């Protein structure tokens, strides 16, 4: 008799709602294995029984042929005595305790669905909500777990017979795909005027929307995680109008193109950038624009040579491009600084002064998300905003910690993270917690976590800054609260992602972060391990004249630095004699002049010298403008050096006054920053970690990577800016425990 074997598997990871059970089912059918598969509280349980060779094939194929959205984080296998199963079946899960299974992010349209969408003989030809187990919405439609249709915003739509039979067939690509529908049984599209009147429905609505965009209107469209504002990206007038209506003078807009060829005509694009743009994640990728005359309006990204581009990611967007003549500006529909709008009624109330019409549909967006934003440093991805397609993100960690931990992140570009049962789960990008709407989203996101995972924190971890909204909220919870220094958290997040242990040199440069000494930090060299850090060097502090006022009115930063150098200040354009006198008094008497060691702010001062406008209108503007002025044919650098534990740089502003020419100043400045990074990294001769908003500067990063002799790390999965802080905070707590 040929001997048969029996194995039990316990698998954790992203294995629910992604076609994992039918995948196991068809593997077992193909290889004559009997037993069962079921979803349980932590993931999936499988028992298989059959010939030893077939079990081995199963073991290999489990990883090799894994469905595109599935991810195995943990697998435990146990041999059991032969049982004698007669069939292989998908067993019903115990829905009572599927509280810890991970929810997958929303995914863009897959290849199979796209071909069906374009196939005139297919029953879902041109169906704008086509999806399957391998693609479509997840996070945006789920109200609670387990992830079953009644718990999603698809629950009001009763499947027609054809859809139901696909849903019930384990060998079908749409087996248990919760959002499936067709033109007969799915949601309805509606083009509406701002007073809510329905003008057209379904494909006609899309065609009319495209015609409005082609004619130069500003419209809104409900996408996957919220509404976008859209207009023709080649029409100067409409983009200027959008800027005026949105009160957004210069911040760049992302552009959606109908296909990759059109992107290639406008931008330099590498193999990895192309892969990323066309991947299922479909993020916005920041690309360098081609020098030649562009067809895009110059008002899309004034003064800078980068542009954020992306491709259609839902069938709705694909459909829209069938009727559009040009690429479009597609930007999150919101009031400046507030979260993306997800509801048509809300949109018509809040944005009726901005757009003229909107495309709505009657499936509710439960959880919002923005577009994710990435860029590439050579072949490595650098994460700038982790949201649609990527978040919620989960990581399995080794830890003996049995507590449930909440990390509330920082203040700007906030995101939160939780830890429970060896899982870390990171929320999508929430936003700047400056306004009520963003703070409400912060609380809503936490409630969602609580509901999905039965999560109630035993302990909270946050930033050291006493006036961050996240810190204040955490302090009011009456729970143990631990505060982690901002820049240390930046470095820890990268150590977490790259699993770095032992000592590293952490270089954290950003706009602002609360230091241990109560001053503002942001030009930090920290010798770190997982449990502690030492501030081994930092940029020589300067004074922020008038505190916060300096951050918006950047000529004050230059003025302050010139005062430090004994200058009168008349070198700085834009002040009259009276203002200058007043600010000198402020400087001399140190009235409301916090100390600051931030490299981000130095970019502001340099931008002033390069002749840019004195008011920055968005975070990171100075950095992008200086990067745009960079000229690779200039090889010089200013002399920034280490003295004791202070980085001396102030003298270079005198040289800049002498250099005058913006390209020369910008280039030498970026080169000198790269030099000091390399100098410090070589001095310590250990792995070096880069984090903080300043390192979103691709030119600076590329020069550092070219000159690097140590191993350098930066985050590819977690945001390099303050969006990654919550993960660093969690890592601080989890590292202390073991
Ligand atoms: Zn699909
Ligand atoms: Zn149907
Ligand atoms: Fe920061």
């Amino acid at each position: 008799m040929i001997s048969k074997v029996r194995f039990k598997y316990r698998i954790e990871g992203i294995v629910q709602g992604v076609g994992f059970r039918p995948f196991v089912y068809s593997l077992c059918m193909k290889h004559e294995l009997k037993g069962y598969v079921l979803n349980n509280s932590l993931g999936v349980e499988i028992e298989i029984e059959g010939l030893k060779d077939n079990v081995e094939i199963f073991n290999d194929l489990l990883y090799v042929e894994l469905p595109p959205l599935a991810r195995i984080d943990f697998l435990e296998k146990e041999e059991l005595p032969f049982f004698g199963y007669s069939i292989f079946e998908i067993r019903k899960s115990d829905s009572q305790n599927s509280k810890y299974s991970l929810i997958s992010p929303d995914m863009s349209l897959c290849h199979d669905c796209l071909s069906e969408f374009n196939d005139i003989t297919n029953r879902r030809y041109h169906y704008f909500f086509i999806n399957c187990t391998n693609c479509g919405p997840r996070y945006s439609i789920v109200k609670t777990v387990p992830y079953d249709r009644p718990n999603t915003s698809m629950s009001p739509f009763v499947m027609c017979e054809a859809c139901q039979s696909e849903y019930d067939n384990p060998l079908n690509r749409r087996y248990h795909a919760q959002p499936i529908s067709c033109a007969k049984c799915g949601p309805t599209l509606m083009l509406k005027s701002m007073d809510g009147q329905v003008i057209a429905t379904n494909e006609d609505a899309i065609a009319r929307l495209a015609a409005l965009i082609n004619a130069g209107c500003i419209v809104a469209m409900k996408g996957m995680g919220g509404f976008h504002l859209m207009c023709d990206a080649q029409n100067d007038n409409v983009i200027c109008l959008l800027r005026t209506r949105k009160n957004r003078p210069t911040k760049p807009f992302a552009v959606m193109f109908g296909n990759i060829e059109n992107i290639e005509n406008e931008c330099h694009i590498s193999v990895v950038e192309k892969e990323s743009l066309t991947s299922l994640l479909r993020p916005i990728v920041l690309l360098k624009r081609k020098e030649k005359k562009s067809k895009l309006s110059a008002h899309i990204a004034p003064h800078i040579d980068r542009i954020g581009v992306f491709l259609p990611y839902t069938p709705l967007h694909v459909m829209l491009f069938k009727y559009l003549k040009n690429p479009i500006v597609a930007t999150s529909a919101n009031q400046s600084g507030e979260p993306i709008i997800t509801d048509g009624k809300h949109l018509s109330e809040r944005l009726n002064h901005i757009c003229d019409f909107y495309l709505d549909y009657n499936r509710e967006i439960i959880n919002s998300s923005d577009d994710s934003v990435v860029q590439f440093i050579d072949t490595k991805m650098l994460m700038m905003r982790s949201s649609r397609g990527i978040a919620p993100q989960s990581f399995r960690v080794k830890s003996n910690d049995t507590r449930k931990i909440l990390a509330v992140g920082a203040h700007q570009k906030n995101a939160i993270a939780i830890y429970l049962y060896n899982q870390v789960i990171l929320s999508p990008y929430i936003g700047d917690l400056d306004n009520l709407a963003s703070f409400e989203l912060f609380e809503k996101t936490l409630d969602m976590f609580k509901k999905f995972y039965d999560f109630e924190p035993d302990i909270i971890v946050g930033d050291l800054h006493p006036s961050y909204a996240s810190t204040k909220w955490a302090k009011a919870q009456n729970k143990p609260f631990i505060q982690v220094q901002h820049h240390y958290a930046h470095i820890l997040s990268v150590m977490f992602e790259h699993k770095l242990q032992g000592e590293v040199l952490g270089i954290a440069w950003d706009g602002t972060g609360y230091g241990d000494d109560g001053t503002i930090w942001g030009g930090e060299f920290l010798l770190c391990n997982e449990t502690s850090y030492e501030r081994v060097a930092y940029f020589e502090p300067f004074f922020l004249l008038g505190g916060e006022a300096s951050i918006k009115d950047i000529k004050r930063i230059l003025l302050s630095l010139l005062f430090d150098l004994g200058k009168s200040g008349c070198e700085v354009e834009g002040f009259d004699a009276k203002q200058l006198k007043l600010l000198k008094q402020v400087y001399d008497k140190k009235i409301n002049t916090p100390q600051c060691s931030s490299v981000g702010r130095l970019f502001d001062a340099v931008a002033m010298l390069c002749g840019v406008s004195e008011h920055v209108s968005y975070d990171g503007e100075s950095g992008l403008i200086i990067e745009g002025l960079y000229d690779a044919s200039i090889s010089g650098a200013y002399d920034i050096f280490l003295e004791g534990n202070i980085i001396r740089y102030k003298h270079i502003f005198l040289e800049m006054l002498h250099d005058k020419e913006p390209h020369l100043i910008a280039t030498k400045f970026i080169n000198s920053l790269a030099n000091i990074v390399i100098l410090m990294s070589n001095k310590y001769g250990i792995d070096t970690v880069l984090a903080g908003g300043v390192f979103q500067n691709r030119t600076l990063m590329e020069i550092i990577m070219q000159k690097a002799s140590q191993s350098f790390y930066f985050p590819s999965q977690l945001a390099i800016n303050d969006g990654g802080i919550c993960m660093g905070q969690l890592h601080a707590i989890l590292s202390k425990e073991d």
Side-chain angles (χ1 to χ4, degrees), residues 108-114 130-136 173-174:
S108 68
L109 183 65
C110 77
H111 257 287
D112 291 336
C113 287
L114 180 63
I130 186 169
N131 63 75
C132 71
T133 325
N134 302 326
C135 74
R173 204 173 86 248
R174 296 196 167 86

Side-chain angles (χ1 to χ4, degrees), residues 446-459:
L446 178 61
D447 282 343
M448 178 271 298
F449 276 154
K450 286 183 173 178
K451 211 160 56 179
F452 283 13
Y453 301 107
D454 247 347
F455 177 83
E456 189 55 53
D458 299 311
I459 178 168

Side-chain angles (χ1 to χ4, degrees), residues 486-487 490 510 512 692-693 721-722 725:
H486 186 92
H487 302 94
H490 266 307
D510 60 7
T512 201
N721 51 46
D722 285 4
I725 289 280

Side-chain angles (χ1 to χ4, degrees), residues 372-389:
S372 293
V373 185
V374 305
Q375 66 176 328
F376 285 83
I377 309 301
D378 193 14
T379 55
K380 283 194 190 133
M381 190 164 95
L382 185 149
M383 179 65 68
M384 298 173 71
R385 187 203 284 160
S386 158
S387 197
R388 173 188 51 79

